[in-house]
């Protein structure tokens, strides 16, 4: 064990004296700046005390320890930090004698009973958070901010100054301050408004920077901490899902929002699966409003199902969704809500819709109907204006033209014109684009011919932007696939790069 140096003792004793009860801004800032190194010194002191055979020997070897520990015990910043508090308690326990043999050990026992760690009251926490509000952008404040958030989280009471919470939240969103992951999650658990701000900030970044996001959406979503926090805290997942569900009801045709919801759900499920079985809540807790029979087939990733069983799995999903749809014809509000919840779950689990679109590239005509039904429901969940039959017919027409376009050599001009027309003027433009991109990525034709088709079809800027979001969803699914097809990944990357460049 490394000896405790006299220089270190003098340095930390001076700090303990200068800090006092650490209520001024300067004391708070300095205490927070040194919390990490203070813990290291306390660990060093603890190791030294543990080597002593008695309290008398400890007090003789470390004459400073009583006054030093006593001062720290009354410093609310130190007590608020769980790790520092634990080290203090362990140091004090080393000085306690079960059977005191002399006056020194008796006095130490009496002192420990009287200077025992005071409870860090809500009042103290409130005062400290008030003083910290003006200092949250200082990097040195991270340890103390994290300690305050964790302490309040464990206490389960609202004892933090709301201005402090607001300043911390704004500093995080604007990237003017960085906290440990645990502290960020504690902030979200403590303050619903901060959690909402984080979810909205992620949404806004996705909507405002499609060039970056479509290239690395899954990484950006994971970096937000929201998937991991959602897996650890069910209420966080429910809150984030509700925010994105409300956004989707306002702009249900926005492919960027759908891509974000799908990728967020995939990242969340990956984090949830990584937990120990005994620590994991049942899926029903995270999806309380959905018909329970829908959860097993939709929340099972395609990578967990053998490829040869994909079609049967998708037919199973289609039959379950159809059973929900059968009640839509009536005016029952509950029936409408059931359809909406089922559709939103399909959006969250959009990897199965992408799988259906992939299978349609080489599907036999007799197998196409259930797959086209899923794509139509995904893009048009309601029978608004009684147009479902027309949308279904357009989906079938688009699929027929695309098969001829990609599977015939040379590509027939008539089918090329028909696809362009459907993309620009049909009710199902996004559905047609979804199908078209899957043919582009998964068909087995020569790259040169496929690039030629892309150049002739994907000409409008708005269509290219929508295409990038669909490709982002496809890429997320492929990244989590059981096996990697280098040909498909290369073609997908080339298409993304081409669309971004043009």
């Amino acid at each position: 064990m490394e000896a405790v140096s006299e220089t270190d003792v003098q340095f930390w004793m001076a700090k303990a004296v200068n800090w006092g009860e650490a209520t001024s801004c300067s004391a708070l800032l300095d205490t927070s700046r040194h919390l990490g190194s203070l813990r290291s010194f306390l660990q060093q002191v603890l190791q030294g005390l543990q080597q002593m055979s008695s309290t008398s020997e400890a007090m003789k070897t470390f004459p400073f320890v009583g006054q030093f520990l006593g001062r720290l015990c009354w410093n609310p910043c130190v007590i608020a930090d769980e790790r520092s508090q634990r080290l203090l308690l362990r140091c004090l326990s080393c000085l306690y004698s079960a059977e005191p043999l002399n006056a020194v050990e008796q006095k130490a026992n009496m002192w420990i009973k009287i200077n025992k760690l005071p409870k860090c009251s809500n009042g103290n926490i409130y005062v400290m958070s008030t003083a910290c509000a003006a200092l949250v952008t200082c990097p040195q404040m991270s340890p103390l901010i994290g300690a305050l958030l964790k302490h309040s989280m464990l206490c389960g009471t609202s004892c933090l100054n709301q201005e402090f919470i607001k300043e911390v939240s704004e500093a995080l969103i604007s990237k003017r301050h960085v906290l440990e992951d645990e502290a960020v999650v504690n902030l979200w658990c403590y303050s619903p408004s901060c959690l909402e701000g984080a979810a909205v900030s992620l949404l806004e970044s996705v909507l405002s920077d499609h060039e970056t996001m479509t290239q690395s959406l899954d990484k950006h979503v994971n970096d937000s901490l929201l998937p991991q926090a959602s897996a650890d805290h069910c209420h966080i997942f429910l809150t984030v899902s509700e925010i994105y569900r409300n956004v989707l009801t306002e702009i249900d045709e926005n492919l960027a929002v759908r891509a974000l919801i799908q990728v967020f759900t995939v990242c969340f499920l990956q984090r949830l699966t990584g937990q120990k079985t005994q620590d994991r809540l049942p899926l029903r807790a995270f999806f309380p409003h959905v018909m329970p029979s829908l959860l097993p087939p939709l929340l099972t990733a395609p990578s967990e199902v053998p490829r040869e069983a994909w079609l049967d799995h998708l037919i199973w999903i289609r039959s379950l969704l159809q059973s929900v749809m059968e009640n839509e014809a009536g005016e029952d509000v509950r029936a409408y809500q059931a359809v909406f919840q089922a559709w939103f779950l399909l959006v969250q689990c959009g990897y199965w819709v992408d799988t259906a679109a992939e299978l349609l590239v080489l599907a036999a005509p007799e197998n196409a109907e259930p797959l086209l039904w899923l794509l139509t429901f995904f893009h048009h969940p309601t029978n608004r204006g009684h147009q479902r039959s027309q949308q279904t017919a357009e989906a079938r027409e688009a699929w027929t033209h695309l098969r001829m376009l990609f599977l015939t050599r040379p590509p027939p001009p008539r089918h090329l014109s028909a696809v362009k027309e459907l993309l620009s003027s049909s009710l199902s433009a996004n559905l047609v684009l979804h199908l078209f991109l899957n043919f582009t990525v998964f068909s087995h034709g020569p790259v040169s011919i496929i690039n030629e088709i892309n150049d002739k079809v994907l000409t409008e800027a708005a269509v290219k932007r929508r295409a990038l979001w669909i490709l982002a969803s496809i890429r997320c699914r492929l990244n989590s696939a059981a096996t990697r097809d280098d040909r498909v990944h290369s073609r997908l990357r080339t298409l993304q790069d081409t669309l971004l460049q043009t």
Side-chain angles (χ1 to χ4, degrees):
M1 183 204 74
E2 182 182 349
V4 178
S5 72
E6 184 63 28
T7 302
D8 285 345
V9 170
Q10 292 176 356
F11 175 83
W12 287 112
M13 182 60 77
K15 285 293 181 187
V17 171
N18 291 336
W19 291 340
E21 296 188 11
T23 55
S24 68
C25 288
S26 59
L28 283 171
L29 194 61
D30 197 53
T31 305
S32 181
R33 181 191 292 120
H34 288 90
L35 268 180
S37 50
L38 173 62
R39 286 195 295 264
S40 298
F41 180 70
L42 284 173
Q43 182 66 48
Q44 198 176 349
V45 171
L46 174 61
Q47 290 173 346
L49 293 175
Q50 288 172 336
Q51 301 298 315
M52 301 295 104
S53 60
S54 66
T55 301
S56 297
E57 183 185 0
M59 298 299 288
K60 184 177 180 181
T61 307
F62 303 105
F64 70 92
V65 74
Q67 185 183 6
F68 178 65
L69 295 178
R71 288 183 178 278
L72 292 182
C73 284
W74 289 98
N75 186 316
C77 294
V78 176
I79 300 304
D81 179 57
E82 184 188 29
R83 286 177 289 177
S84 298
Q85 184 183 110
R86 190 162 55 242
L87 284 168
L88 275 175
L89 285 170
R90 293 180 66 189
C91 288
L92 289 173
S93 69
C94 289
L95 297 176
Y96 187 82
S97 303
E99 297 180 0
L101 300 177
N102 52 51
V104 171
E105 294 180 356
Q106 289 176 346
K107 186 174 181 181
N109 280 5
M110 290 179 60
W111 172 77
I112 291 171
K113 290 177 181 178
I114 297 173
N115 275 352
K116 64 183 179 180
L117 290 184
K119 291 184 178 180
C120 200
S121 68
N122 289 351
N124 285 341
I125 292 292
Y126 184 86
V127 169
M128 278 194 290
S129 65
T130 301
C132 287
L135 304 171
V136 295
T137 56
C138 299
Q140 304 95 319
M141 291 299 293
S142 291
L144 181 55
I145 291 173
L148 291 173
L149 291 169
K150 184 171 185 177
H151 183 92
S152 301
M153 172 73 177
L154 294 175
C155 289
T157 56
S158 300
C159 54
L160 293 174
N161 181 292
Q162 289 305 305
E163 185 64 25
F164 167 76
I165 291 293
K166 178 184 175 183
E167 291 292 333
V168 172
S169 179
E170 290 180 354
L172 284 174
I173 291 174
S174 62
K175 302 188 184 307
R176 290 180 293 125
H177 194 94
V178 177
L179 288 176
E180 292 182 354
D181 293 354
E182 182 186 18
V184 175
V185 176
N186 286 336
L187 174 67
W188 293 341
C189 290
Y190 182 88
S191 172
S193 62
C194 292
L195 172 59
E196 292 168 8
V200 171
S201 176
L202 175 60
L203 174 64
E204 289 176 342
S205 66
V206 166
L207 294 176
S208 63
D209 187 8
H210 75 276
E211 291 189 8
T212 301
M213 297 303 163
T214 54
Q215 295 287 289
S216 55
L217 183 57
D218 49 353
K219 180 182 184 303
H220 190 75
V221 170
N222 275 323
D223 288 347
S224 75
L225 293 182
L226 288 170
Q228 182 64 63
S230 295
D232 294 336
H233 303 277
C234 182
H235 73 277
I236 290 183
F237 178 79
L238 294 174
T239 299
V240 175
S241 296
E242 182 66 21
I243 291 170
Y244 294 157
R245 180 165 44 237
N246 291 338
V247 171
L248 201 57
T249 59
E250 299 297 325
I251 46 175
D252 62 339
E253 287 294 309
N254 192 308
L255 294 175
V257 178
R258 293 194 187 197
L260 171 60
I261 291 171
Q262 177 182 331
V263 172
F264 166 73
T265 306
V266 168
C267 295
F268 154 73
L269 290 173
Q270 289 171 344
R271 297 296 180 277
L272 191 66
T273 304
Q275 291 182 342
K276 295 179 180 177
T277 305
Q278 62 268 28
D279 298 333
R280 194 186 310 157
L281 288 174
L283 287 171
R284 183 69 180 148
F286 296 93
F287 303 90
H289 306 300
V290 182
M291 188 170 71
S293 59
L294 282 170
L295 297 180
L298 280 168
L299 295 177
T300 301
S303 59
E304 301 174 42
V305 179
R307 186 180 180 88
E308 59 271 19
W310 280 358
L311 178 60
D312 290 337
H313 195 92
L314 286 162
I315 291 174
W316 178 25
I317 292 173
R318 193 278 300 260
S319 65
L320 291 171
L321 291 172
Q322 277 186 322
S323 67
V324 177
M325 293 285 291
E326 288 172 357
N327 297 319
E328 186 194 3
E331 297 298 325
D332 191 341
V333 173
R334 287 177 299 178
Y336 173 80
Q337 290 175 339
V339 172
F340 176 78
Q341 296 294 349
W343 170 73
F344 184 70
L345 181 63
L346 186 65
V347 172
Q348 291 176 300
C349 305
Y351 40 77
W352 278 116
V353 180
D354 289 333
T355 302
E358 178 186 342
L359 290 184
L360 279 165
V361 174
L362 298 174
E366 61 271 19
N367 295 329
E369 190 277 330
L371 304 177
L372 288 170
W373 188 95
L374 275 174
L375 258 74
T376 304
F377 178 63
F378 177 76
H379 288 283
H380 306 286
T382 65
N383 194 15
R384 194 176 298 158
H386 303 286
Q387 295 172 329
R388 178 165 292 136
S389 58
Q390 181 181 349
Q391 292 157 350
T392 303
E394 288 181 349
R396 190 175 297 107
E397 179 188 359
W399 178 68
T400 302
H401 287 303
L402 287 167
R403 289 183 79 233
M404 297 301 297
L405 183 61
F406 281 88
L407 304 180
T408 306
R409 300 292 174 268
R414 179 171 67 87
H415 296 289
L416 182 65
S417 299
V419 170
K420 292 184 67 174
E421 179 66 22
L422 287 169
L423 271 176
S424 62
S425 60
S426 76
L427 292 169
S428 306
N430 283 341
L431 188 157
V432 175
L433 183 60
H434 201 160
L435 273 174
F436 174 83
L437 292 170
N438 274 271
F439 271 89
T440 296
V441 173
F442 295 105
S443 64
H444 294 280
V447 174
S448 58
I449 293 179
I450 290 174
N451 288 342
E452 180 184 347
I453 295 173
N454 288 336
D455 291 340
K456 292 179 179 179
V457 172
L458 302 177
T459 56
E460 298 180 12
V463 174
K464 291 178 181 179
R465 281 195 295 271
R466 284 160 34 215
L468 283 167
W469 286 113
I470 294 175
L471 291 174
S473 297
I474 295 174
R475 182 182 179 186
C476 179
R477 178 174 71 87
L478 293 177
N479 285 344
S480 58
T483 59
R484 179 183 176 88
D485 187 330
D486 289 335
R487 179 188 65 84
V488 169
H489 276 271
S490 175
R491 188 173 287 186
L492 175 62
R493 169 61 69 184
T494 299
L495 180 55
Q496 285 182 309
D497 291 343
T498 301
L499 292 174
L500 284 169
Q501 289 168 6
T502 56

